[in-house]
Amino acid sequence: MLVKETLEHRQVWIYFASVLAGGAAAAVLTGTDRLEILINPALALMLFVTFLQVPLADIGNAFREIRFLSALLASNFVAVPMLALLLLALVPDDPLVRLGVLMVLLTPCIDYVITFAQLGRADARLLLASTPLLLAVQMALLPLYLAIILGEEASTLVQVEPFLHAFLWLIAVPLALAAIVQAWASRSTSGRRVATGLGVLPVPATAVVLFIVVAATVPILENSVDKALGVIPAYLAFAVLAPLIGLAIGKAFRLGPRSTRAVAFSSATRNSLVVLPLALAVPDAVPVLPAVIVTQTLVELVSELVYVRVLPLLGRSTDPAEHTG
């Protein structure tokens, strides 16, 4: 399909334009923070059309990929926390700032990482299958890590509801709808037409998400620009080092190229949009804590646009049937 191929060929430039447009909208218009209510619906649409591109009938096989799951857990819950701890040396010595940095860097993304992994020729099927495990482990370990690093009081700030809400509306519901459409497409011509038409939407839907997220979150930074600027060095270092750690661990576990890239994407992509409600619930945290987390979101979104171009170049395989083995 010519339109789909054109969009995919120019996707990175489309995404950069969306990020710039979102920033410009936030700069010249008032009230763009109200777009926050559209973030989850836009994410759900983006994930739905992404899931349509993933062979969901094979997803059960992903649960048997023990080496991949082991690598994913080792990277996200051993190596990346060690990196986050080291990066605290680059963070201002402010309790709220350090709490925000740790909350976001210790929680691997369970939603739009799947879209970016798909765009970056990683194994999105494996990441999709691993979301319940990633969700459960981060919910269990985040309070423990915060207690160890910042003290017992910090661990009580973690709530379960935002994580479960995100899983239900951003993973379970879009996944079920995608499975229904795929089943329909396998049985009827009209279903195939609908699936083909929806296949054009991943790039536009991702562009819309980028615009909305940037336009809605930039205003949060207005009252804490100094705090936001103070954490950028740590976030930039994380954006460079985390995917390299993921690649190294994937290779250490002898994964195939697509699976290794999936570990790299997961290691580099954080759960900022899920953690943000946690930050807003912390007493006296506004505006510092949300600003610290939103800054990571903005750095990460730009980094993802680099990852989708650079990571497919790493560990290329001549075997068209790349697998985890």
Side-chain angles (χ1 to χ4, degrees), residues 118-312:
Q118 178 81 358
L119 295 172
R121 287 170 36 203
D123 197 328
R125 172 188 62 95
L126 290 176
L127 280 181
L128 178 56
S130 70
T131 53
L133 180 62
L134 283 179
L135 180 69
V137 176
Q138 68 182 273
M139 286 169 54
L141 291 185
L142 180 60
L144 176 62
Y145 286 147
L146 291 179
I148 292 172
I149 299 172
L150 298 180
E152 190 65 36
E153 186 177 346
S155 68
T156 64
L157 301 174
V158 178
Q159 303 169 19
V160 172
E161 289 81 4
F163 292 96
L164 296 181
H165 184 273
F167 182 78
L168 174 63
W169 293 108
L170 300 181
I171 298 296
V173 171
L175 180 61
L177 292 175
I180 291 170
V181 173
Q182 285 190 1
W184 181 27
S186 69
R187 291 179 173 85
S188 75
T189 302
S190 58
R192 282 193 294 275
R193 289 199 192 100
V194 169
T196 300
L198 291 171
V200 177
L201 294 182
V203 173
T206 305
V208 169
V209 167
L210 293 174
F211 174 85
I212 292 174
V213 169
V214 173
T217 56
V218 164
I220 297 176
L221 304 179
E222 290 180 355
N223 297 322
S224 283
V225 173
D226 56 332
K227 304 295 185 183
L229 293 176
V231 295
I232 286 178
Y235 289 154
L236 289 175
F238 184 89
V240 173
L241 296 174
L244 296 179
I245 287 172
L247 289 173
I249 288 179
K251 291 177 180 177
F253 277 80
R254 303 194 314 278
L255 302 182
R258 293 182 68 239
S259 303
T260 297
R261 288 193 288 268
V263 175
F265 269 103
S266 181
S267 302
T269 311
R270 304 290 88 190
N271 223 5
S272 53
L273 297 179
V274 175
V275 168
L276 188 56
L278 293 180
L280 294 172
V282 174
D284 302 318
V286 179
V288 173
L289 203 51
V292 168
I293 291 171
V294 163
T295 301
Q296 193 277 334
T297 305
L298 299 177
V299 171
E300 178 177 275
L301 290 178
V302 176
S303 301
E304 295 288 346
L305 307 185
V306 177
Y307 299 156
V308 298
R309 276 296 179 90
V310 174
L311 290 180

Side-chain angles (χ1 to χ4, degrees), residues 1 9-11 18 22 48 55 65-66 71 82 95 97 109 153 161 178 236 256 297-298 308:
M1 179 178 281
H9 181 69
R10 298 177 179 172
Q11 62 185 335
S18 297
F48 164 60
E65 302 284 0
I66 302 302
M82 292 173 63
V97 172
C109 183
E153 186 177 346
E161 289 81 4
L236 289 175
T297 305
L298 299 177
V308 298

